[in-house]
Amino acid sequence: MSQTTLDKAPGTRGTPGGDADKRRWWVLVIISIAQLMVVLDATIVTVALPDAQADLGMSDANKQWVVTAYALAFGALLLLGGRIADFWGRKKAFVTGMIGFALASALGGAAQNEIMLFGSRALQGVFAALLAPAALAMLTVTFTEAKERAKAFAVYGGISAGGAAIGLLLGGVLTEYASWRWCLLVNVPIAILAIAAAMPIMRESRAHGDTRYDIPGAVTVTLGLAALVYGFTRAAEESWTDSLTVAMLVIGVALLVVFTYIESRTNHALLPLRIVADRNRGGALLVMLLVGAAFIGSTLFMIYYMRIVLGYGAVKAGAGALGITAGVLVTAGASAALLPKIGPRIPLLVGSLLAAGGTFWLTFITVERQYVTHMLPGMVLIGLGLGLVFTSVSSTALIGIGEHDAGAASASINAVQQVGGALGTALLNSVATSATDSFIADKKASLGAQLADPAIQQKLFFDSQLDGYTTAFAWAAAIMVVGAILAAVLVNAGKDALPSEGAVHMG
C-alpha cells in the first residue's frame, strides 16, 4: 500500500515436494480459513437478525447497527490496517487480528443488550481491518512464482466470492438449530484452530521505509462516516428535520471534507487522492459505492420479508437468497471474458441497470407466498447485474495505476464496498422505518374502532411492513440508476487500457 520494499517470507519457498513447499500450501489453508471467517461475518448475522432483535428488544431503527457497525469499522480502517500489517509485521498482525476477532465474537455471542452487541460487532470490524490485509499480504509474499500465485489467488478469490452465500446458509442453520448467538460464537473455535496452525507455520515479514501512519485521516474518516450513519438512524427515530439529525449529517459531511484535506496535504496518506482523482478509477469506485450501498442495504429487507411476512424459517430464508449468488456466478465469469473485448463502460452500465431492475421488481412483492414469481426473478436479475459491476470495477480500479499504488487501489475497492454497505443499510433502514410508521399512522386514523379486531391488527402489521420494504427497494433501485448514469458519464476507458489481472479483494 505504500512505496516500500517487501521482505519475502523466509522459509516458505523450496523445491516442489519439500517441507517448505508443503508449508507454503498450509499457509494458504490458514489464510483461506481467516478470509472465510471475515467474509462470513458480513452476512451470517443477517438471517439471524430477526431473532436477535426479538431477543434483545432492538427497535426497528436500531437493528441496522448489527450490520453497519461491522461494515463501518471494517471499511473505514481497512487501509490503515494494511499499513500497520506491512510495517508492524504481517504474521504479528494476522495473529493479533485473529485473537481480537475471536474475543469480539465471543463478546457478541454473550451480548445481554443491544449496546453490547453493537459494540462487539464494531470490534469485529476493527480486527477484521487488521486481519484481512495481513492475510492478503502474507499470501503475496509466500507465493512468488507466477503459476502458484495464480492458483493461490484463485482459491482466495473463490472464498471471497462464495463466502457471502455460505454466510447466509450457515447463519440460517445455526439460528434455526442452535441460536442466533452461535452465528458469532462459531468464530471462536475457527480462530483457535487457525492461530494454533499459524504460529509454527507462518514466517514473519514486513516492509521497510516510511513507517508513519495517517492517524488523523483514519480518525476523521471513521468519525465522519459514523456521524452520517447515526444521522440516518436518528432520522428514523425522530425525523429528517430533527435538529440533532441535521447536526449529525452536517458534522459527518464536514469531517469527510476535513479527511479529504488531510489526504491532500500528507505524504503518507491513508488514501492518496491521486488514486481516486483518475476519471475511470474514481467513476468505477463511485459506481461500487452506490450499487454496493443499495444492494447490501436492501438485502436486509429481502431477509426480513421472507422471515417476517412469508414466515420462512432461518434456513429457508438463507437458501432463498441464493438466487442472487446464482446470478453473480453466471455474469462474473462471462464478464471476465467480455471486458477485454468491449471495455468496462458497457458492463458497468448494463450491470447497474440490471441490478436496479431486479431491485425494482421487488417493489411488487405481496403478502402472499409467491416466492418463485415475486422474489426469485428479482434476485436473479440483481445477481446478474452485480456480477458485471463487481468484475468491471475490479479491473477498472487498476487502470494506469503505478506499482506503488496497486495495493491501496485494490484495498479501496473493498473499503468503498464496506462503507457503502454501512451507509446504504442505515439510509434504507431509516427510509423503511419512516414509511412503516407513516403507513400505520394513516391507517389508524381511518380504521378507528376496527383496530380492536385482532385480524385487522395483524393485517395492519403485515401491510405496514410491506410498505416499508417496498419503499426501501424503490430507493435502492433509484440509487443503482444513479450509479448507471455515473458509469455512462465518467468511465470512458477502452478495452486496451484494462490491466491483464484484476484487483484482489481483501474482504
Side-chain angles (χ1 to χ4, degrees):
M1 294 184 189
S2 57
Q3 300 182 44
T4 57
T5 301
L6 298 180
D7 285 346
K8 304 301 182 185
T12 56
R13 291 172 291 141
T15 57
D19 290 340
D21 183 70
K22 294 177 181 178
R23 177 181 292 152
R24 181 162 69 255
W25 295 107
W26 276 111
V27 169
L28 175 60
V29 172
I30 297 167
I31 290 172
S32 297
I33 292 172
Q35 177 65 6
L36 180 61
M37 188 174 69
V38 169
V39 174
L40 280 178
D41 262 70
T43 58
I44 194 171
V45 299
T46 305
V47 179
L49 191 49
D51 297 77
Q53 181 182 4
D55 193 14
L56 299 182
M58 287 182 252
S59 68
D60 283 337
N62 282 339
K63 70 187 179 188
Q64 52 84 20
W65 282 107
V66 178
V67 177
T68 57
Y70 178 80
L72 184 62
F74 190 7
L77 298 175
L78 184 59
L79 289 165
L80 178 63
R83 288 182 64 83
I84 292 173
D86 282 343
F87 298 135
W88 188 40
R90 298 172 185 116
K91 177 181 178 180
K92 190 183 298 182
F94 179 90
V95 173
T96 301
M98 189 70 77
I99 292 172
F101 198 91
L103 292 175
S105 299
L107 181 66
Q112 298 302 303
N113 53 60
E114 61 180 32
I115 299 301
M116 191 173 173
L117 181 59
F118 301 158
S120 69
R121 288 288 287 167
L123 276 177
Q124 280 186 306
V126 170
F127 286 107
L130 182 63
L131 173 62
L136 181 59
M138 287 293 294
L139 199 66
T140 302
V141 299
T142 299
F143 292 89
T144 57
E145 195 274 322
K147 290 184 178 179
E148 288 191 349
R149 178 177 285 187
K151 292 178 182 177
F153 279 137
V155 172
Y156 183 92
I159 289 173
S160 297
I166 297 173
L168 290 171
L169 285 175
L170 182 59
V173 171
L174 290 173
T175 301
E176 191 157 324
Y177 297 110
S179 164
W180 66 266
R181 297 180 182 277
W182 274 100
C183 293
L184 297 166
L185 294 174
V186 70
N187 292 320
V188 177
I190 295 174
I192 292 173
L193 177 64
I195 294 167
M199 293 302 291
I201 293 175
M202 284 186 170
R203 297 290 181 264
E204 187 61 275
S205 69
R206 58 174 54 87
H208 300 293
D210 183 359
T211 58
R212 290 176 294 170
Y213 302 120
D214 182 15
I215 301 300
V219 170
T220 51
V221 72
T222 303
L223 291 179
L225 293 170
L228 287 178
V229 170
Y230 181 77
F232 292 150
T233 306
R234 174 85 180 180
E237 296 175 327
E238 301 297 333
S239 72
W240 288 99
T241 57
D242 172 71
S243 58
L244 184 56
T245 299
V246 174
M248 293 307 296
L249 294 177
V250 171
I251 290 171
V253 172
L255 284 171
L256 294 181
V257 171
V258 172
F259 168 72
T260 304
Y261 176 78
I262 291 172
E263 299 309 282
S264 70
R265 307 293 291 183
T266 181
N267 58 7
H268 50 282
L270 196 65
L271 179 62
L273 294 185
R274 62 180 175 271
I275 290 178
V276 295
D278 176 82
R279 173 176 180 165
N280 289 289
R281 190 177 306 111
L285 291 175
L286 278 174
V287 174
M288 173 68 88
L289 178 72
L290 293 174
V291 173
F295 164 63
I296 296 173
S298 59
T299 301
L300 182 68
F301 303 103
M302 297 179 204
I303 295 298
Y304 262 78
Y305 170 70
M306 287 188 284
R307 295 216 56 195
I308 302 299
V309 178
L310 298 186
Y312 287 1
V315 174
K316 190 173 182 180
L322 293 183
I324 297 172
T325 305
V328 169
L329 293 176
V330 171
T331 51
S335 60
L338 194 63
L339 282 169
K341 298 179 181 179
I342 64 173
R345 174 191 273 177
I346 293 176
L348 280 173
L349 173 61
V350 173
S352 299
L353 291 176
L354 280 174
T359 307
F360 185 71
W361 184 290
L362 298 180
T363 64
F364 297 102
I365 55 176
T366 68
V367 294
E368 284 78 31
R369 300 190 177 193
Q370 296 174 316
Y371 170 82
V372 174
T373 56
H374 285 65
M375 287 292 290
L376 185 59
M379 288 183 166
V380 172
L381 276 176
I382 292 170
L384 292 172
L386 293 178
L388 289 171
V389 169
F390 290 171
T391 306
S392 301
V393 170
S394 294
S395 293
T396 309
L398 290 189
I399 290 177
I401 199 74
E403 183 179 353
H404 54 278
D405 284 335
S410 293
S412 66
I413 303 171
N414 301 283
V416 163
Q417 184 178 350
Q418 293 292 336
V419 167
L423 294 175
T425 300
L427 174 61
L428 294 183
N429 187 68
S430 179
V431 167
T433 302
S434 298
T436 297
D437 291 344
S438 296
F439 185 92
I440 291 174
D442 291 343
K443 289 296 182 181
K444 280 184 175 180
S446 61
L447 288 172
Q450 297 180 61
L451 282 172
D453 186 345
I456 296 295
Q457 293 177 11
Q458 184 180 50
K459 185 177 186 304
L460 176 59
F461 171 76
F462 285 123
D463 287 346
S464 65
Q465 294 298 307
L466 201 64
D467 189 70
Y469 302 156
T470 54
T471 302
F473 291 143
W475 274 65
I479 293 171
M480 290 175 174
V481 169
V482 174
I485 294 171
L486 290 177
V489 172
L490 295 177
V491 179
N492 63 358
K495 60 183 180 180
D496 296 332
L498 293 175
S500 57
E501 294 182 4
V504 178
H505 284 256
M506 288 188 187

